[in-house]
Amino acid sequence: MSSPVSPDHTPPTRHEQQAPREQDRRGGVVERLGLNWRLHGDGRHVAPGDVVTPRERLAWPRTISIGTQHVVAMFGATFLVPLLTGFPPATTLFFSGIGTVLFLVVTAGRVPSYLGSSFAFIAPITASVNQYGPGGALGGVIMAGAALFLIGVIVQIAGTEWLQKLMPPAVTGTIVALIGFNLAPSAKQNFTAAPVTALVTLGSIILISVLFRGLLGRLSILLGVAIGYVTAVIRGEVDFTSIQAAWDEQGVFGLPQFHSPEFHLNLAGLFIPVILVLVAENIGHVKSVALMTGDDLDPYMGRAIISDGLATMIAGSGGGSGTTTYAENIGVMAATRVYSTAAYWVAALVAILLSVLPVFGAAVATVPQGVLGGAATVLYGMIGMLGVRIWVQNRVDFSNPVNLTTAAIAMIVGIGDYTWSVAGLDFAGIALGTAAALVVYHLMAAIARARGSVGSDPLTPDSSQSPSPLG
């Protein structure tokens, strides 16, 4: 005779048996997406010397506040690229938010980053728009994104050592420098269109960057553009009719303006060299975050490059500019000591929300040439000087003819915007300058090693203790 089943030992139903498995699956998805943040301390304070790691978060009100700061930090630079290239600002902002979400998902929430507009795309976009219109430029952006994606896959599998051999500091610095300085004529054209407004904008950026500390100092470009814009309004240089038109046609909410790409193979040589800058920026970003948080992020280096490549391809497919990790947001993290990827989810969602406000996008598009010229003068120069900084930080020895000749030839080709047409394909200054840097360096280095004709290895840093006679 069997004993009755106790109420405390009732066999679980099928639904009850499946519930833990469903919870495990949901937990696994959350883990893979990097959405399982731990609360840091009490969620309100960060102790001196402590940091909020990427997998942690503060209380949501504070996280939302910091995420909004990230939007402000990236805003000026991200919007300046479409203004300079003629792309719709709201569309670029929309795809920057989408790209940031993609980056956070692919890196499993391990690498905090905002993917904003890359300045490296300004020159090739400007040149290709003049030849093939916006569609051709977008096709070039997609080609660059695809190449960057492939580089990321190789880095994820094989590491970064092969990149360091292909692009030593003498080459990398040269390519970054020539991309920035190649843009000088564009900056001059906008500056001379309204020199007074441009000078006010440039002067404001300079003064704000040295007068203020912390976040205000890092927002010098955004604030300088705002001051220049007010100056342009006073001088009657701003046309507000597009704002009213956006309100009348779309109201409060509306999708940004999308545009389909066109593909022209001869633009590949113009756009693909840009990926060398993007690779350097992504690697530098991941290493900077790792240094500040103490995390080993090398396993995510390839993922970061892959996601930037995907984000760039998606942006190009709909009318946005190519993306990259943003140093401006590194500054916000350093100031707040909050590296939580939760804040970047907030930033991405806020950016997407702003992009579907037609009046907001129309207002940004009214920024006049003079303001752009003033901001571009310093921004383009900064891009060029980033290349010089690579030389300095790696102590590139320019007494070695290999390094000196590489930089000399490639810089002149890039700045002078040399062009070459062959078999129906057109190659301009950036593509030719990049090719010159790679070919001249590796050819000269190989001959020098074989002949022993120039002394030291070009990779050996300059160990001279004598200061330059120029100070």
Side-chain angles (χ1 to χ4, degrees):
M1 182 176 176
S2 62
S3 59
V5 177
S6 168
D8 294 333
H9 295 85
T10 303
T13 65
R14 177 173 296 184
H15 175 73
E16 291 172 333
Q17 290 175 333
Q18 292 176 342
R21 298 175 188 171
E22 292 176 359
Q23 291 174 358
D24 289 342
R25 281 196 295 270
R26 287 195 295 268
V29 171
V30 169
E31 173 74 21
R32 286 193 294 272
L33 295 179
L35 300 176
N36 55 334
W37 302 285
R38 302 180 301 274
L39 190 66
H40 179 87
D42 61 3
R44 297 191 303 274
H45 303 95
V46 183
D50 202 2
V51 298
V52 180
T53 66
R55 304 305 298 275
E56 296 178 325
R57 66 170 177 85
L58 296 177
W60 281 114
R62 292 178 182 268
T63 297
I64 292 172
S65 173
I66 293 171
T68 305
Q69 283 189 67
H70 281 300
V71 174
V72 174
M74 67 84 190
F75 187 84
T78 291
F79 261 102
L80 198 57
V81 173
L83 289 175
L84 292 168
T85 57
F87 281 13
T91 309
T92 296
L93 184 62
F94 175 82
F95 282 112
S96 77
I98 296 295
T100 300
V101 169
L102 179 65
F103 184 96
L104 295 171
V105 169
V106 173
T107 59
R110 301 279 184 171
V111 184
S113 178
Y114 191 92
L115 292 189
S117 305
S118 170
F119 291 121
F121 280 97
I122 295 175
I125 287 177
T126 301
S128 56
V129 164
N130 293 335
Q131 189 173 4
Y132 294 108
L138 293 174
V141 170
I142 293 176
M143 286 189 281
L148 184 62
F149 172 83
L150 293 176
I151 293 291
V153 171
I154 298 172
V155 168
Q156 189 66 25
I157 296 172
T160 60
E161 185 177 352
W162 67 278
L163 267 177
Q164 295 167 354
K165 291 180 179 179
L166 175 66
M167 296 187 301
V171 173
T172 305
T174 299
I175 294 171
V176 174
L178 69 85
I179 286 176
F181 295 140
N182 176 269
L183 294 165
S186 175
K188 178 185 176 183
Q189 182 179 2
N190 283 324
F191 197 103
T192 54
V196 173
T197 300
L199 193 59
V200 169
T201 303
L202 178 59
S204 299
I205 293 172
I206 294 171
L207 291 176
I208 291 170
S209 65
V210 293
L211 286 175
F212 298 101
R213 300 177 180 177
L215 184 61
L216 283 179
R218 283 190 293 275
L219 295 178
S220 60
I221 293 175
L222 176 62
L223 296 176
V225 166
I227 293 171
Y229 188 86
V230 172
T231 304
V233 171
I234 295 173
R235 293 175 56 83
E237 297 170 355
V238 181
D239 182 5
F240 293 105
T241 55
S242 60
I243 300 176
Q244 184 63 47
W247 175 265
D248 293 339
E249 294 173 8
Q250 295 181 274
V252 178
F253 294 102
L255 288 174
Q257 177 185 350
F258 297 118
H259 200 294
S260 58
E262 302 171 3
F263 294 95
H264 302 276
L265 186 60
N266 60 331
L267 292 179
L270 192 61
F271 279 88
I272 290 179
V274 168
I275 69 171
L276 303 180
V277 181
L278 304 184
V279 167
E281 288 176 336
N282 275 277
I283 291 176
H285 181 91
V286 173
K287 287 187 176 294
S288 296
V289 173
L291 181 64
M292 291 185 285
T293 62
D295 294 338
D296 178 16
L297 296 178
D298 283 353
Y300 296 91
M301 194 81 73
R303 288 196 191 191
I305 299 172
I306 287 171
S307 31
D308 193 6
L310 289 173
T312 295
M313 293 173 67
I314 292 172
S317 66
S321 183
T323 61
T324 188
T325 54
Y326 257 35
E328 288 87 343
N329 298 98
I330 285 276
V332 173
M333 290 190 289
T336 61
R337 291 176 294 159
V338 177
Y339 299 87
S340 171
T341 51
Y344 282 95
W345 274 94
V346 171
L349 295 176
V350 170
I352 293 171
L353 177 61
L354 290 175
S355 72
V356 296
L357 301 176
V359 172
F360 178 77
V364 173
T366 62
V367 176
Q369 278 186 290
V371 177
L372 298 178
T377 298
V378 62
L379 277 174
Y380 296 169
M382 283 182 176
I383 298 171
M385 294 308 295
L386 285 176
V388 176
R389 189 174 73 175
I390 292 173
W391 291 335
V392 173
Q393 288 179 336
N394 293 277
R395 296 166 61 201
V396 174
D397 183 7
F398 281 109
S399 67
N400 189 305
V402 174
N403 295 331
L404 182 62
T405 306
T406 297
I409 294 175
M411 289 290 286
I412 291 298
V413 171
I415 295 172
D417 200 23
Y418 285 32
T419 57
W420 181 39
S421 298
V422 56
L425 301 179
D426 298 324
F427 300 94
I430 292 178
L432 293 179
T434 299
L438 290 167
V439 172
V440 171
Y441 177 87
H442 288 290
L443 180 62
M444 290 188 68
I447 295 174
R449 281 192 294 268
R451 299 283 297 168
S453 56
V454 297
S456 64
D457 189 329
L459 290 175
T460 303
D462 183 7
S463 58
S464 171
Q465 298 300 316
S466 303
S468 166
L470 298 179

